[in-house]
Amino acid sequence: MSEPVAFTPDQEALAGSVRRYCAAKCTEEVQRSGPGSFPWPFWRGLAELGVLSLAVPGEGGGAGEVAAVAMELGRAFAPGPLTGTVFAARTLPPACTPPVAAGERLVSWGCPPLMPWSPLAEVFVETDGERAWLARPAGAVTPEETLGNEPWGRVALERVLPLDGVREATDLAHMMLAGYLWGAGRRVLDAAVEHARTRVQFGRTLGTFQAVAHPLVNAGLGLEAAEKLVKVAARAIDHGHHQGSALASAARLSASRAAMDAAFVSHQTHGAMGYSVEGPIGHVAQRIRQLSMVPSHAHHTGEQVLAMYAEGGRE
Amino acid sequence: MEFALSEADAAFRSDLVGFLDRELAEGWNRSEHGLGSAVYTDFSRDFVRTLAAKGWLTPHWPKEYGGGGQGAWQHFVLGEEMWKRGEPRGPQYMNVNWVGPSLIKYGTEEQKAALLPPIARGEVFWCQGFSEPEAGTDLAALRTRAVREGEGYVLNGQKIWTSYANEADYCFLLARTGSVSDGRNGISVFLLPLSTPGVEVRRIDGFVGAHSFNELFLTDVRVPGNCLLGEENKGWDIVRRTLAYERVGAPRYARAARVLDGLADWCRAAGLLTDPGVQEQFGHARALCEAARVLVHRVIDERAKTKEPSPMAYQARAAMVQAERAVGDLALDVMGSEALVEQSPGDAQFRNSLGAGIAAGSYEVQLNLISRLILKLPKE
């Protein structure tokens, strides 16, 4: 590709507005809100910024916008069913999208029975990775607490309506996940670097020990690469490049791995502090592990990347 | 090195396993309640008294101090079977592993007579007051001070990450009796009753349990001279010995291997175990558990023969960290989203594996020690 690997000025401006909003409103309390305390005002604020409607067809939001926003949301550790919202906004019939885009109804998106956000959701979207349906619960939701402190639950679903645009929606969902994971990974790595720079043991700052410094550097390399891949994928999708979907899958996998590595290294650098619930990284690392999990309906993600190489059509 | 237990030790294991299977209610697992939770510690108090009554709390201690006079292998078998089951002894594994042995080696007759029998009967909790906010991996930088006053000492300072301090009766506490510039040569061990005025415990929630850690604040805590263990300023020697026990005192591989068995059952039921990639991952993780087990066995073998800790313990501990991490990765890889549900094997193992390279001495420090003491690489 001969174009620069960067977001457009408009995308950067959008990211800037999300960054400022999160700096002001994504407080510790909002970040750490768990089951039973969903931060509605924060979520509606995201809707007002247009974040929840980015993927609605015709709203002008493409993969670049989704990715640029996602990176900020991950860095701010913003809560909420962000990926499901992106997928639903793209696929739901026009009559169903306004309450979702306005932040009034939450989306549960996944493959039943274990459905993310189902205890709080009013809109259910089932997917097997290739197809998707608007669905409704066929019984009560049994809540499950999760590693990443998100309210999930088990529920049987009844399919109501097949949905179109699954491939485009999946690409955008990949971009949201990839961007968020990159941002969260960057955050825990930055915290570790700061700790290594200031914490003194054995009369030296931790960062002067190569055993501490090198893993931090390696994790940083992974995140750098993932960032570029996210931007390349976003551009490819928005330009209708035939490898857009495969690049989106690659970006997701790359960001997942990079964020996991960053989380692990950050823990090892922080020592016991990382293990404290009130500490700076434990809760972020747990959600990174949660989001980097490839669920059963996304098993094609790796295959898509492989297929891109089988084509031999790289530029 | 012995690869099989003696007949007597094997019989001990088989009796112990039978007892534990009966005694530990179906599904007993500390992660359900959390390390340091009241449910867990209450359970431990009762359970340990039962163990003590059977002579299985301190079988390796000398008989004169309430032990069974048995060897290092029985002690080890006990640790392995307990840890496998989520350590139902709670904090008392520390009492029997190293608090008691340190008292036996360094204590006065008066200290031994007063402090050992309650441990052997399973009546007291001890916690370990080592880490401080500015002294973690670099333990010798600790700043808590003990100043002589008449026949006793006045303690001031702060400890952190102290598991079980909220429930413990005593703290095995390190404090500085020399100057900071003396480093490790100015440290002493104090046997501090936590009921002493001036001791304040504050809770820290951790992600292996709501009440996993504590901070310990010491403000003008006055203790009599007989709270000092060993000689003044010679505490580091005691600690070095103590930590050598601690390295292999928690046989993490045993629990990791048990989690692995559970995961294999889960995968078999889900029809995943025929996948060659999954099989390879299981094989790899199991091999790491086995490697850790054999390396720990070598340490125990050595201990049984020479009674002195050696650098082999660092290798054993590093191998345990690798095993714990491999099982953690595997759990999340094979279980998919189901591993994210709280209390699932994936969730629990992820939390454990993150702490494996930190608790009881960081992985990096073990590697440094191995490179210096076993590979004989130069320090500078």
Side-chain angles (χ1 to χ4, degrees):
Chain A
M1 292 184 192
S2 54
E3 293 176 67
V5 181
F7 290 131
T8 65
D10 284 353
Q11 289 162 352
E12 291 287 2
L14 175 65
S17 69
V18 172
R19 189 182 318 135
R20 285 187 296 278
Y21 174 71
C22 287
K25 303 290 182 185
C26 195
T27 58
E28 275 294 303
E29 196 187 347
V30 166
Q31 293 171 40
R32 290 172 188 268
S33 57
S37 62
F38 188 73
W40 285 106
F42 172 76
W43 189 248
R44 291 202 186 98
L46 284 182
E48 280 161 30
L49 278 177
V51 168
L52 307 185
S53 52
L54 280 177
V56 175
E59 291 288 311
E65 282 73 15
V66 170
V69 164
M71 289 166 120
E72 297 300 334
L73 294 171
R75 210 160 182 161
F77 199 55
L82 293 158
T83 315
T85 300
V86 164
F87 188 92
R90 190 59 160 203
T91 52
L92 287 177
C96 299
T97 38
V100 170
E104 285 158 13
R105 290 185 179 184
L106 300 185
V107 174
S108 173
W109 169 67
C111 184
L114 188 58
M115 292 289 288
W117 292 93
S118 51
L120 297 182
E122 291 178 87
V123 176
F124 289 81
V125 176
E126 177 182 347
T127 181
D128 63 3
E130 288 170 7
R131 298 165 297 168
W133 300 265
L134 178 64
R136 63 172 164 247
V141 176
T142 310
E144 294 274 18
E145 287 186 18
T146 59
L147 184 63
N149 198 28
E150 290 182 343
W152 289 22
R154 291 184 200 279
V155 59
L157 293 183
E158 251 173 61
R159 293 170 182 171
V160 177
L161 183 73
L163 299 173
D164 294 328
V166 172
R167 174 144 182 172
E168 296 76 12
T170 303
D171 290 347
L172 293 180
H174 283 334
M175 297 317 296
M176 174 54 84
L177 258 179
Y180 191 97
L181 279 164
W182 177 86
R186 192 74 246 175
R187 178 189 173 115
V188 289
L189 189 67
D190 287 350
V193 168
E194 186 55 28
H195 188 66
R197 217 181 257 149
T198 51
R199 168 85 168 169
V200 174
Q201 292 280 272
F202 304 103
R204 303 155 55 176
T205 53
L206 281 188
T208 61
F209 292 97
Q210 291 184 343
V212 175
H214 289 184
L216 290 170
V217 173
N218 277 332
L221 287 175
L223 286 169
E224 281 285 316
E227 179 195 344
K228 298 295 176 278
L229 198 45
V230 167
K231 289 178 176 173
V232 167
R235 213 172 174 80
I237 293 168
D238 288 340
H239 288 208
H241 193 280
H242 70 284
Q243 287 180 337
S245 292
L247 284 165
S249 292
R252 171 180 175 164
L253 295 177
S254 167
S256 295
R257 175 43 58 195
M260 274 304 298
D261 288 346
F264 179 78
V265 169
S266 188
H267 262 285
Q268 201 58 27
T269 307
H270 276 92
M273 215 174 286
Y275 239 55
S276 157
V277 166
E278 286 174 8
I281 56 157
H283 59 307
V284 185
Q286 285 175 248
R287 185 168 304 157
I288 285 174
R289 193 59 186 104
Q290 178 140 330
L291 296 180
S292 63
M293 171 78 57
V294 178
S296 59
H297 63 79
H299 275 160
H300 62 284
T301 312
E303 287 165 29
Q304 271 192 338
V305 180
L306 265 183
M308 175 168 72
Y309 289 92
E311 275 174 37
R314 276 176 299 154
E315 289 164 35
Chain B
M1 169 179 172
E2 313 292 338
F3 278 96
L5 293 177
S6 72
E7 228 166 84
D9 292 340
F12 170 68
R13 189 193 287 271
S14 134
D15 284 354
L16 179 66
V17 166
F19 165 77
L20 291 175
D21 287 347
R22 287 192 302 278
E23 197 69 20
L24 298 178
E26 185 69 27
W28 149 259
N29 186 340
R30 75 158 185 212
S31 64
E32 276 170 36
H33 307 295
L35 199 70
S37 67
V39 177
Y40 179 42
T41 45
D42 286 352
F43 177 88
S44 297
R45 281 183 207 281
D46 288 344
F47 175 74
V48 164
R49 282 200 197 99
T50 316
L51 269 186
K54 291 186 76 73
W56 287 351
L57 185 58
T58 53
H60 58 299
W61 287 18
K63 286 187 172 157
E64 56 201 293
Y65 303 122
Q70 298 298 325
W73 282 105
Q74 286 207 6
H75 172 214
F76 167 71
V77 166
L78 202 57
E80 217 179 38
E81 294 301 333
M82 294 295 172
W83 196 263
K84 215 188 257 187
R85 291 165 175 80
E87 192 47 273
R89 294 175 298 178
Q92 277 137 315
Y93 82 90
M94 294 192 284
N95 299 1
V96 302
N97 280 4
W98 60 261
V99 175
S102 298
L103 293 174
I104 291 169
K105 186 160 173 73
Y106 298 101
T108 61
E109 285 312 314
E110 179 206 351
Q111 286 170 330
K112 290 191 238 188
L115 299 171
L116 290 172
I119 295 181
R121 290 195 299 265
E123 291 170 358
V124 291
F125 278 12
W126 281 72
C127 62
Q128 171 185 313
F130 285 12
S131 295
E132 297 183 5
E134 301 303 325
T137 298
D138 183 11
L139 183 57
L142 64 89
R143 294 175 188 177
T144 292
R145 291 209 56 88
V147 178
R148 258 186 187 284
E149 191 189 73
E151 294 296 300
Y153 293 87
V154 182
L155 305 173
N156 276 287
Q158 183 190 353
K159 297 290 172 180
I160 195 167
W161 315 120
T162 319
S163 301
Y164 306 105
N166 52 318
E167 297 279 344
D169 306 286
Y170 290 92
C171 181
F172 193 97
L173 182 91
L174 298 186
R176 189 160 289 288
T177 36
S179 73
V180 176
S181 59
D182 291 338
R184 55 185 62 175
N185 297 320
I187 294 171
S188 301
V189 175
F190 289 88
L191 310 169
L192 172 69
L194 286 178
S195 55
T196 313
V199 176
E200 190 198 340
V201 176
R202 283 187 214 156
R203 155 182 181 162
I204 304 175
D205 289 347
F207 68 65
V208 283
H211 202 154
S212 3
F213 308 113
N214 300 277
E215 283 176 290
L216 201 59
F217 294 88
L218 308 170
T219 313
D220 296 331
V221 176
R222 290 186 155 72
V223 294
N226 64 6
C227 284
L228 176 73
L229 179 68
E231 285 177 56
E232 202 176 87
N233 293 331
K234 299 280 188 199
W236 193 257
D237 294 338
I238 301 177
V239 171
R240 209 161 44 189
R241 218 187 136 75
T242 296
L243 289 182
Y245 283 115
E246 175 85 340
R247 309 254 185 245
V248 292
R252 287 171 167 274
Y253 63 87
R255 189 184 53 207
R258 197 169 163 108
V259 170
L260 201 58
D261 290 345
L263 288 167
D265 290 343
W266 191 91
C267 283
R268 195 173 292 117
L272 296 171
L273 214 49
T274 50
D275 180 311
V278 171
Q279 284 174 0
E280 186 181 331
Q281 216 177 348
F282 267 99
H284 176 66
R286 171 58 82 175
L288 286 171
C289 290
E290 282 301 297
R293 187 176 69 83
V294 172
L295 289 175
V296 171
H297 277 212
R298 187 168 61 172
V299 175
I300 306 302
D301 183 56
E302 218 173 38
R303 188 180 294 170
K305 286 170 182 158
T306 69
K307 313 280 184 204
E308 281 304 314
S310 87
M312 297 298 176
Y314 307 127
Q315 274 186 332
R317 196 174 121 60
M320 285 197 267
V321 173
Q322 292 178 2
E324 185 103 281
R325 286 176 179 170
V327 177
D329 287 345
L330 176 139
L332 283 123
D333 286 350
V334 300
M335 288 186 75
S337 304
E338 286 296 334
L340 302 173
V341 174
E342 236 175 43
Q343 309 302 348
S344 75
D347 171 88
Q349 188 61 27
F350 175 71
R351 292 166 193 258
N352 283 329
S353 64
L354 274 183
I358 296 164
S362 78
Y363 184 67
E364 289 75 7
V365 168
Q366 312 304 310
L367 298 191
N368 280 343
L369 290 165
I370 294 165
S371 69
R372 270 207 346 262
L373 301 174
I374 296 177
L375 299 183
K376 310 284 185 201
L377 290 173
K379 188 177 183 183
E380 295 297 331

